Amino acid sequence: MVGTLVAVIPAAGQSATGKPVAGLVWAACPEDVVVPPTVQLPVQCAKVPVPLDYRDPDGTQIELMVSRIASTKPEKRRGVLMFNPGGPGGTGLDQPAFLVSKGLPTGVTDAYDLIGMDTRGVGHSAPVSCGFTADDGYWANIPPYASDDAAVTRQAEIARDVAERCAANDTDGRLRHLSTANMARDLDRIRAALGEEKASFYGASYGSALGAAYTSMFPDTTDRVVLDSIIGDTHLDRAGLRRFALGMEQTFPDFAKWAAARHESYGLGRTPQQVRRTYLTLAERLDRTPTPDGLTGALLRQITFGSLYNEIQYPNLARIWQTYLDPGEASRAKAATAPNPQDNALTVFLAVTCNDVEWPEDVDTYRRAVAQDRKRFPLFGAASANITPCAFWKHEPAEPPVAVNDKGRRNVLILQNRHDPVTPLAGGRLLREKFEERSRLVTVNESGHGVYVLGGNACALNLTTTYLVDGKMPAGDRTCQRG
């Protein structure tokens, strides 16, 4: 890799922003910010200028767009609650309205102005692009399943091409400045622009890493922090990516049990063990002979992995399997060569992930990992251990990953489902250990990705709402049973 950056960056706890803007101008949000019709609270948007490069706070500025659902109860208002829905690369402007539509308790909407945002590089916040097209067949966060060493070699060439394409499209030099540390600095800049001495934060999935970095860098200006579905650190590295395979192994049995109980309808197996064999047999057959419409074993594994995020997706997953068990019945339209609607999200994912931490550059390192994880985690290990464009990324990390700061008051509530395909329980336990007495872990005996509001568990909902509204943190780690 080339392009190493060496400079002094504002330290944790210091102002990272030079002279923050005082006050925001709120107006109607762009038309693509979705507000469900059930949400009766007004949603407004504003722009916050931040430095592109925090080493040069008075240099080039970019604008971040934030959204707000303001509290209508001034006598109950505590402050602001900022949200991040994950990614990195996911738009968050609609997150407050989305969660309100899903039942975010009124105690929370009374206590806080809800602040969503597109983080730097995303959507309406100085967007970036690698120029992905709809027929690229590339998944930025999880490469395809590698059935053998040759598949890793082929994926390495694809990964190299992607990294080179990203570099070629980066004509304004923004990609190197996309990192979790800079996004955390942006959060503190937004807090200051909102005129708040402190800000609370809720982050899910990658948002847990961003929140961990934010409260570690700015312990004095973060208030109540809720981290949901945990990556395990302040960044996603190879270990975190490889834990996706552990998560699938732990979560797949929930789908297998569900499908076995419905064998008469879907024909996938009368027992969970038979359902697992159906999956492996079908995927291996598609490895050898993809369908005429382009379904491969790698794509089937990707679809199955993604469908384990929520039990509501189980019926459609079962139907997909059922369709492809009879190759003659399969029919899908091929994608045309057109801009990929996920281009922006994939670009941000790559930039942040590759910029946050050093990634091995030797292809043999990935071949060995794939062979190991194919045996350890047969369902998905040879995908999550496969090589990514980070091996060929143009820029070295500008700074070390943010270290978890375990000093300070107890204000980090960690939520984690016991079975989660992408962020397994191991990640929650890791972050709990790193934060030590600053945190408490709530382990929820549920399946899927996401706990608060969307997960539907009464115990976890109550514990989290009580913390956000009343500040009451569990005295010790807690376990919530199903229901």
Side-chain angles (χ1 to χ4, degrees):
M1 295 185 186
V2 296
T4 302
L5 304 175
V6 180
V8 177
I9 297 177
Q14 296 179 355
S15 170
T17 59
K19 297 179 180 179
V21 63
L24 299 178
V25 178
W26 296 100
C29 292
E31 292 183 357
D32 60 352
V33 178
V34 178
V35 179
T38 56
V39 177
Q40 301 301 310
L41 300 171
V43 182
Q44 298 174 303
C45 285
K47 293 181 178 179
V48 180
V50 300
L52 174 64
D53 185 348
Y54 278 98
R55 299 160 305 173
D56 183 15
D58 296 320
T60 300
Q61 305 287 300
I62 58 175
E63 289 187 320
L64 309 181
M65 183 169 284
V66 301
S67 65
R68 179 183 69 174
I69 296 178
S71 168
T72 60
K73 301 290 180 63
E75 71 279 7
K76 295 183 178 180
R77 184 185 182 277
R78 176 178 180 82
V80 297
L81 175 60
M82 298 192 289
F83 292 86
N84 184 272
T91 180
L93 287 172
D94 59 357
Q95 188 71 0
F98 172 73
L99 289 176
V100 168
S101 75
K102 294 300 182 182
L104 185 69
T106 57
V108 177
T109 58
D110 289 347
Y112 299 97
D113 292 351
L114 310 181
I115 307 298
M117 69 195 70
D118 282 350
T119 52
R120 62 170 54 208
V122 175
H124 294 279
S125 297
V128 293
S129 168
C130 284
F132 293 118
T133 59
D135 65 345
D136 280 331
Y138 174 73
W139 304 290
N141 53 340
I142 310 168
Y145 187 95
S147 56
D148 53 28
D149 282 355
V152 180
T153 302
R154 290 192 297 271
Q155 181 59 25
E157 292 306 310
I158 294 171
R160 185 189 301 275
D161 175 72
V162 168
E164 291 174 351
R165 193 185 323 176
C166 290
N169 276 273
D170 186 28
T171 55
D172 54 11
R174 290 179 181 172
L175 286 187
R176 71 176 64 191
H177 300 294
L178 269 63
S179 68
T180 300
N182 279 341
M183 289 178 176
R185 296 180 178 107
D186 291 343
L187 290 175
D188 202 56
R189 179 74 174 238
I190 292 168
R191 173 203 57 79
L194 291 167
E196 301 288 335
E197 292 185 3
K198 292 188 177 184
S200 294
F201 180 86
Y202 169 85
S205 196
Y206 165 75
S208 72
L210 177 57
Y214 176 43
T215 196
S216 292
M217 294 173 70
F218 301 99
D220 296 331
T221 55
T222 46
D223 191 14
R224 296 170 183 171
V225 177
V226 177
L227 307 180
D228 186 338
S229 304
I230 311 301
I231 286 178
D233 211 321
T234 62
H235 57 280
L236 179 63
D237 57 12
R238 283 188 70 224
L241 196 61
R242 290 174 74 177
R243 280 196 294 273
F244 290 10
L246 171 63
M248 183 161 179
E249 290 286 346
Q250 293 175 339
T251 308
F252 184 88
D254 298 326
F255 169 73
K257 182 179 178 180
W258 179 94
R262 294 160 178 80
H263 175 74
E264 299 304 324
S265 293
Y266 296 109
L268 303 181
R270 296 184 181 278
T271 67
Q273 293 76 17
Q274 289 177 356
V275 174
R276 182 184 176 96
R277 285 198 295 272
T278 297
Y279 167 79
L280 293 171
T281 300
L282 178 58
E284 290 166 3
R285 190 190 80 198
L286 292 169
D287 284 336
R288 297 189 300 272
T289 310
T291 64
D293 61 0
L295 185 73
T296 63
L299 183 54
L300 178 76
R301 292 178 175 95
Q302 189 79 14
I303 291 169
T304 300
F305 174 79
S307 297
L308 298 180
Y309 274 46
N310 194 302
E311 293 178 359
I312 198 172
Q313 299 180 100
Y314 286 3
N316 189 54
L317 177 60
R319 180 183 174 279
I320 291 172
W321 283 23
Q322 188 180 38
T323 298
Y324 285 100
L325 284 171
D326 182 355
E329 295 296 321
S331 177
R332 287 193 308 122
K334 286 188 176 181
T337 302
N340 189 327
Q342 296 300 314
D343 171 50
N344 178 228
L346 298 179
T347 300
V348 174
F349 181 96
L350 281 175
V352 174
T353 305
C354 299
N355 289 337
D356 272 356
V357 66
E358 291 276 4
W359 289 73
E361 302 175 32
D362 179 25
V363 178
D364 284 338
T365 298
Y366 297 92
R367 289 196 188 97
R368 290 191 295 270
V370 166
Q372 181 183 41
D373 284 8
R374 190 188 296 117
K375 293 180 179 178
R376 290 200 305 162
F377 307 118
L379 298 177
F380 205 59
S384 59
N386 205 352
I387 193 168
T388 78
C390 293
F392 308 103
W393 201 245
K394 178 181 179 181
H395 306 292
E396 297 282 355
E399 57 187 311
V402 177
V404 171
N405 180 358
D406 61 2
K407 307 301 181 185
R409 65 189 183 90
R410 185 180 303 152
N411 70 330
V412 180
L413 184 64
I414 298 172
L415 310 176
Q416 181 62 58
N417 281 331
R418 187 170 295 277
H419 294 165
D420 183 323
V422 61
T423 55
L425 178 58
R429 289 172 171 166
L430 279 171
L431 196 61
R432 170 69 175 89
E433 292 173 3
K434 291 170 183 175
F435 270 118
E436 295 186 353
E437 287 306 303
R438 281 195 70 188
S439 68
R440 288 291 182 261
L441 171 64
V442 178
T443 302
V444 186
N445 288 336
E446 301 281 1
S447 184
H449 189 52
V451 176
Y452 187 51
V453 179
L454 301 181
N457 182 274
C459 167
L461 177 72
N462 293 337
L463 286 171
T464 307
T465 301
T466 298
Y467 173 56
L468 286 173
V469 176
D470 299 326
K472 184 179 179 182
M473 176 79 78
D477 293 345
R478 290 284 299 274
T479 297
C480 289
Q481 302 304 324
R482 286 185 66 92

